[in-house]
Amino acid sequence: MKNLIGILFALSVLITACKKYAPAPEAFFIKPAYVNVIPSSPSTQGSGSSKITDLFLYVNGKYQGAYESGNLLPIVSNGEKAELTLFAGIKNNGISETTITWLFYNQIKIDTIVESGKTINRGFTFNYNPAVNFVWMENFDGAGVSLIKSAPTSTVTTLNLINSGESFENKSAMFELQSNISLGQFETAIDYALPLGNSNIYLELNYKCDVELEVGVTDGVTLKNAITLNPKSEWNKIYIQIAEAVNRQPAPATQKIYFRALNPNQLNAARVWLDNIKLITL
């Protein structure tokens, strides 16, 4: 038996030694120097504020993987010319486990040939997809404001425009709930026609808040919550998918966007800041 085991072991070593392994595919690497967004028309598309967390990479039409936007991108090219296609990835509703391809930005295409083993630094600038419909935008920098106070907000609560160290870009909006106010609500001044049955209805915004902030749609009577944002002490960018709320019954032809701050413990000076709001569809 021992002799048999020894023979089998020797054969396995011999077979392993005779195997031919294919050489590792040759690759080069791209280190993203920056990943940003520059609107092609700031007057109609608003701020370039973004939060691209991942890059979805295709090489010669084949999906290669999703990589965090600050990480190296390995390009398997075997020393030949490679056609690269990159899509921006974002956290849907700000949830880390739900990274999606953000189709509201154009893809980036690159034809390149780089020596295998090399690492090059390159920035990536995305633009908005020309098919995006900007239904409503508010950056609080104009002469008027398209958000109004709505019931059951106390008459004490007002929407203030700030242009200081607490603002995000230029002017930002801030409303404050005093210690005797448990909630405050603002909504768009007009209703907007949103495509029912469409899943690509989003609200982009920059925000920070001392208390929970509900964001949703309303017909003026029924509130349909899309998301409840947790307190954030620093400015945050978020892409909120409000399609489910828009399509939830009752689903009239036109609806408003609302922001509702909840202050059940009636904290002193509970505040909400907003900037660069965009209601977009695709």
Side-chain angles (χ1 to χ4, degrees), residues 197-266:
N198 185 348
S199 62
N200 285 319
I201 308 174
Y202 275 82
L203 196 69
E204 281 191 41
L205 70 142
N206 296 98
Y207 76 96
K208 63 177 180 174
C209 48
D210 295 333
V211 290
E212 288 188 345
L213 178 65
E214 284 186 11
V215 183
V217 295
T218 179
D219 58 4
V221 178
T222 303
L223 298 180
K224 297 187 290 183
N225 182 16
I227 194 170
T228 299
L229 303 174
N230 292 322
K232 285 277 187 182
S233 60
E234 301 293 334
W235 281 100
N236 186 42
K237 171 78 175 187
I238 193 167
Y239 304 82
I240 303 171
Q241 187 176 35
I242 64 169
E244 189 278 330
V246 168
N247 288 285
R248 195 187 313 151
Q249 295 299 321
T254 60
Q255 302 181 61
K256 294 183 176 185
I257 304 297
Y258 77 86
F259 300 91
R260 191 182 210 206
L262 306 175
N263 189 23
N265 297 323
Q266 298 185 349

Side-chain angles (χ1 to χ4, degrees), residues 4 20 90 92 183 203 243 276 282:
L4 178 59
K20 292 183 179 180
I90 60 98
N92 197 36
L183 63 88
L203 196 69
N276 298 324
L282 187 63

Side-chain angles (χ1 to χ4, degrees), residues 120-136:
I120 61 174
N121 291 314
R122 189 192 192 283
F124 297 104
T125 294
F126 289 90
N127 309 112
Y128 276 99
N129 183 333
V132 173
N133 179 27
F134 291 80
V135 180
W136 167 57

Side-chain angles (χ1 to χ4, degrees), residues 39-59:
S40 56
S41 174
S43 62
T44 58
Q45 298 178 345
S47 168
S49 168
S50 63
K51 193 174 183 179
I52 298 172
T53 58
D54 297 84
L55 294 171
F56 289 81
L57 173 64
Y58 291 76
V59 180

Side-chain angles (χ1 to χ4, degrees), residues 13-274:
V13 171
L14 180 62
I15 292 171
T16 301
C18 292
K19 279 185 180 179
K20 292 183 179 180
Y21 291 96
E26 297 182 3
F28 65 91
F29 303 88
I30 296 179
K31 173 66 175 176
Y34 56 82
V35 179
N36 62 10
V37 173
I38 297 181
S40 56
S41 174
S43 62
T44 58
Q45 298 178 345
S47 168
S49 168
S50 63
K51 193 174 183 179
I52 298 172
T53 58
D54 297 84
L55 294 171
F56 289 81
L57 173 64
Y58 291 76
V59 180
N60 297 324
K62 295 182 179 180
Y63 176 66
Q64 185 160 301
Y67 304 88
E68 291 185 8
S69 57
N71 288 356
L72 284 175
L73 305 177
I75 316 297
V76 180
S77 63
N78 291 310
E80 299 178 353
K81 183 178 179 180
E83 180 186 80
L84 314 181
T85 306
L86 294 104
F87 293 88
I90 60 98
K91 305 300 185 188
N92 197 36
N93 293 321
I95 301 171
S96 58
E97 294 81 11
T98 57
T99 303
I100 62 170
T101 302
W102 186 240
L103 300 178
F104 291 81
Y105 296 151
N106 269 341
Q107 63 192 29
I108 293 176
K109 283 186 173 290
I110 305 169
D111 286 324
T112 187
I113 182 167
V114 177
E115 182 182 344
S116 296
K118 293 286 187 180
T119 297
I120 61 174
N121 291 314
R122 189 192 192 283
F124 297 104
T125 294
F126 289 90
N127 309 112
Y128 276 99
N129 183 333
V132 173
N133 179 27
F134 291 80
V135 180
W136 167 57
M137 290 197 308
E138 178 59 81
N139 62 8
F140 305 104
D141 294 330
V145 175
S146 53
L147 281 176
I148 60 172
K149 186 164 50 181
S150 59
T153 292
S154 165
T155 55
V156 177
T157 304
T158 57
L159 192 69
N160 301 301
L161 300 184
I162 58 173
N163 187 7
S164 64
E166 289 190 328
S167 65
F168 181 75
E169 286 180 342
N170 301 316
K171 293 180 183 177
S172 301
M174 185 272 288
F175 63 91
E176 182 175 5
L177 307 183
Q178 298 295 336
S179 59
N180 61 333
I181 302 175
S182 60
L183 63 88
Q185 183 176 308
F186 287 82
E187 64 186 35
T188 53
I190 63 174
D191 302 59
Y192 296 98
L194 298 171
L196 299 179
N198 185 348
S199 62
N200 285 319
I201 308 174
Y202 275 82
L203 196 69
E204 281 191 41
L205 70 142
N206 296 98
Y207 76 96
K208 63 177 180 174
C209 48
D210 295 333
V211 290
E212 288 188 345
L213 178 65
E214 284 186 11
V215 183
V217 295
T218 179
D219 58 4
V221 178
T222 303
L223 298 180
K224 297 187 290 183
N225 182 16
I227 194 170
T228 299
L229 303 174
N230 292 322
K232 285 277 187 182
S233 60
E234 301 293 334
W235 281 100
N236 186 42
K237 171 78 175 187
I238 193 167
Y239 304 82
I240 303 171
Q241 187 176 35
I242 64 169
E244 189 278 330
V246 168
N247 288 285
R248 195 187 313 151
Q249 295 299 321
T254 60
Q255 302 181 61
K256 294 183 176 185
I257 304 297
Y258 77 86
F259 300 91
R260 191 182 210 206
L262 306 175
N263 189 23
N265 297 323
Q266 298 185 349
L267 300 174
N268 290 324
R271 294 168 294 179
V272 173
W273 294 260
L274 301 170

